[in-house]
């Protein structure tokens, strides 16, 4: 491991944060359409998945972070001319559980890095505040480009499980 804090954000295989993918005990994912109703679908999916994993008590924090990540993907990562109905939905939410942690990751088709904007400049600006919420409610977050032929990136947030 490097001594600088950016080690967490280095690209990792298969769009996973720095956790051993082979040790995942449970994983679930859902494709989301390029519409704002996708945020509600993502929350419903998160609620039912956490229920199956006996993690209902973590729903509020995790759902808030999922909502922000999905909203960011829809707002910033989709080209303006993205068709509303596509054969392969452009945004996908992954929930992965290890023994002591949970990761939510949102894949989108943009190569642009997510940017946390300084909200002091324009207090009325909604955008940019989402990543501050993600940082506040999760135990760590990061992003990296997808490897290979698939364009886009994955933005992820990590939750320690007690």
């Amino acid at each position: 491991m490097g001594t600088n804090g950016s080690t967490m954000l280095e690209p990792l295989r298969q769009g996973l944060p720095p956790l051993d993918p082979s040790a995942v005990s449970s994983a679930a994912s859902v494709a989301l359409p390029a519409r704002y109703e996708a945020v509600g679908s993502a929350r419903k999916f998160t609620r039912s998945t956490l229920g199956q994993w006996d993690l209902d008590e973590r729903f509020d924090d995790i759902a808030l972070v999922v909502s922000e990540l999905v909203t960011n993907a829809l707002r910033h990562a989709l080209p303006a001319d993205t068709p509303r109905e596509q054969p392969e939905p452009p945004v996908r939410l992954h929930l992965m559980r290890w023994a002591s942690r949970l990761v939510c990751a949102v894949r989108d088709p943009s190569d642009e890095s997510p940017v946390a904007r300084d909200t002091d400049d324009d207090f009325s600006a909604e955008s940019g505040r989402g990543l501050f919420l993600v940082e506040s409610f999760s135990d760590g977050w990061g992003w990296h480009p997808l490897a290979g032929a698939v364009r886009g990136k994955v933005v992820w947030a990590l939750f320690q499980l007690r």
Side-chain angles (χ1 to χ4, degrees):
M1 290 293 262
T3 50
N4 65 1
S6 68
T7 351
M8 289 286 280
L9 303 187
E10 284 169 12
L12 292 138
R13 70 195 170 102
Q14 297 183 348
L16 294 175
L19 297 167
D20 176 10
S22 64
V24 171
S25 58
S26 311
S29 78
V30 63
L32 299 167
R35 296 191 302 275
Y36 281 102
E37 305 90 88
V39 176
S41 306
R43 289 176 68 89
K44 267 194 216 107
F45 173 79
T46 300
R47 182 177 290 286
S48 71
T49 302
L50 294 181
Q52 289 163 22
W53 295 349
D54 285 333
L55 293 173
D56 294 300
E57 78 282 356
R58 297 304 303 274
F59 173 75
D60 291 340
D61 290 353
I62 293 171
L64 180 119
V65 167
V66 162
S67 298
E68 292 301 333
L69 293 180
V70 171
T71 299
N72 277 354
L74 295 171
R75 181 180 289 155
H76 301 296
L78 298 182
D81 57 359
T82 300
R84 287 172 70 83
E85 299 301 330
Q86 293 180 299
E88 168 62 23
V91 175
R92 183 170 272 278
L93 166 65
H94 298 267
L95 297 174
M96 293 161 284
R97 182 185 179 175
W98 285 257
S100 62
R101 47 185 70 120
L102 178 130
V103 166
C104 51
V106 174
R107 189 188 83 202
D108 70 53
S110 167
D111 298 323
E112 296 289 306
S113 67
V115 179
R117 289 176 186 77
D118 187 357
T119 49
D120 291 345
D121 296 344
D122 178 6
F123 193 68
S124 66
E126 269 301 306
S127 78
R129 228 177 284 164
L131 290 175
F132 289 117
L133 290 172
V134 169
E135 197 165 313
S136 304
F137 284 87
S138 69
D139 294 303
W141 73 279
W143 75 279
H144 55 82
L146 292 169
V150 187
R151 287 180 51 95
K153 69 175 174 299
V154 169
V155 184
W156 53 266
L158 171 71
F159 295 87
Q160 300 292 346
L161 303 175
R162 311 291 168 250

